[in-house]
Amino acid sequence: MKKTLFAVSIAVALVLLAGPATAKMKGEVNLFLGMKDVSDSDFERIEFLPQEEFPDSMLDVSSMSEYGIGFNFGGVDWPVMIAVDYLMASEDDAYNFTYYGEYDFKLEAELETTEIHLGVRKFWTNHDKFHPYIGGGVAFIDADAELALFGPEMLPVRQASAEWFSQCADDSGTGYWLNTGVMWRITPRISLGFDLRYSDASVD
């Protein structure tokens, strides 16, 4: 999946570079930085931990830091522009606890997502400075999750210092994305904007 995402990104870059040499094309590149909320990021409970002491909610990676790059390109007379966005998000969390009243343990969880959004985006450019837009299309989403338990390296040592075990999972899915926002044109080549986006796909 990640090789596919990388290949798509390279293809888009080549299209953007070749565009001015072909026909009357226009395009832009935007950088994204923000937050992403995941609707369901639960990790399964480790079987040997007592349920009454360690609930499912002890690890929370649902609010993630996200960054990415977006491409908009098309003909100067097109009503919409082709949109290709590449987004990456990650978050980790840890839970410390004492077992048998004296030994320190730590659970660590990490979640990473990579998304390619392909579709169209409509800009309204009747204002000199502010350009609102909407967009949507197909979303390709890849998710990597890791859960690790750290405990005493030797039982007489009470502080968690060694990794006892770890579990990793990787899955991908296809869904859709929608977004809306507004761009503020500071100069003809530099803009600031606000983007609100929703994407939907199922991964295990």
Side-chain angles (χ1 to χ4, degrees), residues 3-54:
K3 292 182 179 179
T4 301
L5 298 180
F6 180 75
V8 171
S9 300
I10 295 298
V12 170
L14 292 176
V15 169
L16 289 175
L17 291 174
T22 56
K24 293 182 179 180
M25 301 286 289
K26 61 180 180 179
E28 61 181 26
V29 179
N30 297 303
L31 300 178
F32 295 94
L33 179 63
M35 298 297 296
K36 171 182 180 177
D37 289 331
V38 182
S39 61
D40 186 2
S41 60
D42 291 339
F43 285 80
E44 293 182 0
R45 180 186 293 109
I46 301 174
E47 292 182 358
F48 65 81
L49 295 180
Q51 180 175 347
E52 62 276 8
E53 296 183 24
F54 304 101

Side-chain angles (χ1 to χ4, degrees), residues 78-101:
W78 291 7
V80 297
M81 300 184 71
I82 298 173
V84 181
D85 301 331
Y86 180 79
L87 304 170
M88 298 183 67
S90 63
E91 184 59 44
D92 57 72
D93 193 16
Y95 183 85
N96 296 284
F97 60 95
T98 301
Y99 212 43
Y100 292 115

Side-chain angles (χ1 to χ4, degrees), residues 39 115 117 139 141 173-178 198-202:
S39 61
E115 301 188 32
H117 293 175
I141 300 178
T174 303
Y176 66 92
W177 65 273
L178 300 169
Y198 177 83
S199 59
D200 184 275
S202 297

Side-chain angles (χ1 to χ4, degrees), residues 26-197:
K26 61 180 180 179
E28 61 181 26
V29 179
N30 297 303
L31 300 178
F32 295 94
L33 179 63
M35 298 297 296
K36 171 182 180 177
D37 289 331
V38 182
S39 61
D40 186 2
S41 60
D42 291 339
F43 285 80
E44 293 182 0
R45 180 186 293 109
I46 301 174
E47 292 182 358
F48 65 81
L49 295 180
Q51 180 175 347
E52 62 276 8
E53 296 183 24
F54 304 101
D56 286 331
S57 59
M58 62 185 175
L59 293 169
D60 183 11
V61 291
S62 60
S63 183
M64 311 171 70
S65 300
E66 186 171 52
Y67 60 93
I69 185 169
F71 303 93
N72 303 302
F73 60 95
V76 293
D77 297 326
W78 291 7
V80 297
M81 300 184 71
I82 298 173
V84 181
D85 301 331
Y86 180 79
L87 304 170
M88 298 183 67
S90 63
E91 184 59 44
D92 57 72
D93 193 16
Y95 183 85
N96 296 284
F97 60 95
T98 301
Y99 212 43
Y100 292 115
E102 58 180 341
Y103 297 109
D104 293 335
F105 288 83
K106 180 173 67 173
L107 276 173
E108 287 189 353
E110 183 176 7
L111 178 63
E112 297 181 352
T113 63
T114 305
E115 301 188 32
I116 280 286
H117 293 175
L118 305 177
V120 296
R121 193 170 284 124
K122 167 67 176 177
F123 287 85
W124 283 269
T125 59
N126 54 339
H127 192 281
D128 290 340
K129 294 293 185 180
F130 295 97
H131 298 168
Y133 61 84
I134 59 171
V138 180
F140 304 94
I141 300 178
D142 181 84
D144 292 288
E146 182 177 3
L147 181 66
L149 175 66
F150 294 84
E153 188 172 356
M154 300 177 62
L155 286 182
V157 180
R158 298 182 180 183
Q159 185 176 3
S161 59
E163 183 178 299
W164 280 35
F165 80 87
S166 64
Q167 294 178 336
C168 301
D170 179 21
D171 193 22
S172 59
T174 303
Y176 66 92
W177 65 273
L178 300 169
N179 83 320
T180 184
V182 61
M183 301 294 294
W184 174 37
R185 303 294 184 185
I186 302 175
T187 73
R189 294 183 178 271
I190 300 177
S191 302
L192 288 177
F194 172 80
D195 185 269
L196 181 64
R197 183 181 303 251

